[in-house]
């Protein structure tokens, strides 16, 4: 008998953050703030009982290596004898700061739990996805906000039992613009000089934001963070500045990309000079089984 | 000693085509017409003499399986003892009809020939790339036009010694819009019912176009081809029709995507409702060593 589960998880952009290290991956993570995207990852998990268990991950129609997704699936499948297929689809590019690995991990956890009829607690599925992102070095703080939706203020890092994350529902039309080559999150998170600069700027942004979180403030502090940390390329900084004529933009951490809101036609015309463009809204629902 | 070669190959979109089968991959290919894109693939080949030859392919910063590129590289490296690294970068998405596999194959052939100092004839490098695309089933007619640049009318298929391709230089600003999930070229080219419909419509488009090739005509015949063959999704057809208010659009074969020209702001606003957007121009130079 074949059974299926399906889940959608929003993508997530981070405007600024601070790395909080811990030997326990459920406690490790980031403080910071960002937005959930109406574009994300839709995953179908298809399982069949079988004495020779197997796991296939197919992303956008192609069989590929997807470390985080595979590892999450193995933790949920354990030694249950299943032939499992994970089929994920996303219009978002990877390694551009849109939280695709987190959304893939979390939608996989939810879809697989549903397909297997396990009924695991939602917080445990979220914790598994967070822990795996941290172990794989692909992200630190996308999973928990993506589970909630809206704009997030992440006051304490980690998986649900440890995290302190405030969800602030907001309505906004967004533009996502990719302005340069991919940045593997792993490469930045291994660089201690970069981490020091990130943590100096990040801590002060989190403090400032927690005094009065608003969409306006998110963009303002994000732009400051992008500049102070040296994470933004010249093109990204130029685009952030030029966007002020038509709205607000800030860098999607850690991508060669920005997210923006404002006069969509004028911003689109500006961004098309530099790269690839997508439109979406804020997702205020968070991850869900479909 | 390490030596390097670098090449750029434009992406390529096909508006309409007809499959011409042949047991010889240098004679097999397509008749049709399309445009070369100023966005494409830039490849650096880095080689070092070594008794234990190896080949690594890194695409957009990640080590990955890239059948066509790997196979082209092996044909050029042969049993010469080299440690070779192929580093390709492209802002274009794969499997969306933008000729990325062809551009990767051809830029790899040119870059590797340059790195090794082989001085192989340009037509032979193009033939190797064409033949490999055909063998891998990833494309039929992008390589030769991408070698030339401009707008192409492909009267006879195959590699340079067999092909009859006319290059028509044109100036145009283009928008590329991705409107749905990837279409692996292989899956369409294996479906004989689809091939029959493609060949009926394609042959008449090629005839009509050869009577007076122009950019206007390319879009007009492309839109007819997309509709008659049933290759276009509902969304693609809707977008092609709606584009007539602001310019012209047609489907990029074989992608869930369109290319368009006209009032860029208005077209961009329309396309952003449906998907991902990029801007480029026509490339009139074709593949080149950098």
């Amino acid at each position: 008998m074949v059974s299926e589960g399906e889940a959608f998880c929003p993508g997530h952009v981070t405007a600024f953050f601070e790395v909080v290290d811990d030997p326990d991956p459920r406690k490790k993570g980031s403080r910071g703030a960002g937005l959930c995207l109406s574009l994300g990852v839709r995953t179908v998990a298809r399982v069949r009982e079988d004495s020779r268990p197997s796991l296939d991950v197919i992303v956008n129609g192609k069989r590929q290596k997807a470390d985080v997704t595979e590892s999450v699936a193995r933790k949920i499948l354990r030694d249950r004898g299943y032939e499992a297929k994970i089929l994920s689809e996303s219009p978002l590019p990877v390694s551009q700061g849109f939280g695709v690995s987190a959304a893939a991990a979390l939608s996989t956890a939810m879809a697989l739990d549903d397909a297997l009829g396990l009924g695991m607690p939602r917080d445990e599925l979220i914790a598994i996805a967070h822990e795996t992102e941290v172990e794989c070095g692909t992200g630190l703080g996308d999973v928990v906000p993506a589970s909630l939706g809206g704009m997030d203020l992440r006051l304490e890092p980690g998986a649900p039992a440890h995290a302190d994350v405030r969800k602030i529902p907001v309505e906004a039309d967004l533009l996502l613009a990719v302005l340069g080559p991919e940045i593997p999150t792993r490469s930045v998170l291994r660089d201690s000089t970069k981490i020091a600069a990130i943590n100096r700027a990040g801590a002060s942004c989190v403090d400032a934001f927690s005094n009065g979180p608003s969409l306006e403030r998110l963009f303002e502090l994000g732009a400051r963070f992008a500049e102070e940390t040296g994470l933004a390329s010249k093109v990204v900084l130029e685009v952030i500045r030029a966007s002020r004529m038509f709205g607000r933009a800030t860098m999607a951490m850690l991508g060669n990309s920005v997210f923006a809101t404002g006069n969509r036609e004028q911003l689109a015309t500006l961004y098309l000079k530099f790269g690839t463009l997508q439109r979406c809204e804020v997702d205020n629902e968070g991850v869900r089984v479909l």
Side-chain angles (χ1 to χ4, degrees), chain A:
Chain A
M1 197 190 75
V2 175
S3 61
E4 272 195 12
E6 190 172 357
F8 171 80
C9 182
H12 177 261
V13 285
T14 288
F16 50 84
F17 68 103
E18 178 189 0
V19 178
V20 184
D21 211 352
D22 197 289
D24 179 351
R26 295 203 176 198
K27 292 185 184 165
K28 182 172 173 171
S30 62
R31 303 173 73 230
L35 290 174
C36 284
L37 310 175
S38 59
L39 297 175
V41 179
R42 182 179 293 264
T43 297
V44 172
R46 197 172 292 150
V47 299
R48 184 207 305 265
E49 270 189 281
D50 199 306
S51 51
R52 283 175 305 182
S54 67
L55 173 63
D56 271 326
V57 177
I58 293 155
V59 183
N60 289 337
K62 280 179 217 148
R63 185 162 284 118
Q64 30 187 264
K65 218 170 152 39
D67 291 345
V68 187
T69 298
E70 266 179 52
S71 176
V72 163
R74 286 191 202 289
K75 287 178 188 181
I76 292 171
L77 287 162
R78 286 155 145 198
D79 48 6
R80 297 180 177 101
Y82 279 95
E83 186 193 293
K85 257 206 177 107
I86 305 293
L87 302 119
S88 290
E89 299 261 339
S90 179
L92 291 171
V94 298
S95 299
Q96 290 291 2
F98 301 137
V100 175
S101 61
L106 189 47
S107 58
T108 296
M110 303 276 287
L112 200 49
D113 174 74
D114 194 44
L116 296 165
L118 299 175
M120 287 170 71
R122 184 179 164 94
D123 275 359
E124 178 58 16
L125 295 169
I126 299 166
I128 288 172
H130 171 85
E131 161 196 290
T132 311
E133 265 263 283
V134 170
E135 285 164 353
C136 294
T138 46
L140 286 173
D142 292 317
V143 170
V144 176
S147 75
L148 300 170
M151 181 166 74
D152 57 281
L153 165 54
R154 311 198 299 275
L155 291 164
E156 294 298 333
H162 308 284
D164 178 2
V165 180
R166 284 175 54 194
K167 168 185 172 176
I168 302 135
V170 290
E171 299 292 333
D173 274 323
L174 300 173
L175 279 175
L176 311 176
V178 173
L179 306 168
E182 300 170 13
I183 302 182
T185 299
R186 237 172 285 206
S187 66
V188 177
L189 296 184
R190 276 179 191 159
D191 182 332
S192 60
T193 319
K194 280 188 186 152
I195 296 290
I198 287 168
N199 285 359
R200 259 194 314 277
S204 100
C205 286
V206 173
D207 286 350
F209 192 63
S210 59
N211 287 333
S214 70
L215 198 60
E216 178 67 19
R217 205 90 179 97
L218 183 80
F219 281 100
E220 191 187 310
L221 293 166
R224 192 216 287 178
F225 180 80
E227 190 154 1
E228 282 181 11
T229 53
L231 288 169
S233 69
K234 270 190 191 163
V235 171
V236 166
L237 287 178
E238 189 186 330
V239 164
I240 290 174
R241 277 186 215 122
S243 301
R244 292 203 178 125
M245 287 191 287
F246 315 121
R248 303 293 259 163
T250 191
M251 182 172 160
M253 299 291 163
L254 293 161
N256 255 317
S257 58
V258 299
F259 58 101
T261 191
N263 182 314
R264 193 190 286 149
E265 283 73 32
Q266 291 182 295
L267 288 172
T269 305
L270 170 66
Y271 298 156
L272 280 173
K273 286 184 197 139
F274 297 94
T276 305
L277 205 53
Q278 273 172 301
R279 172 189 155 176
C280 65
E281 288 98 49
V282 175
D283 175 286
N284 282 303
E285 277 190 73
V287 69
R288 59 256 190 199
V289 168
L290 299 175

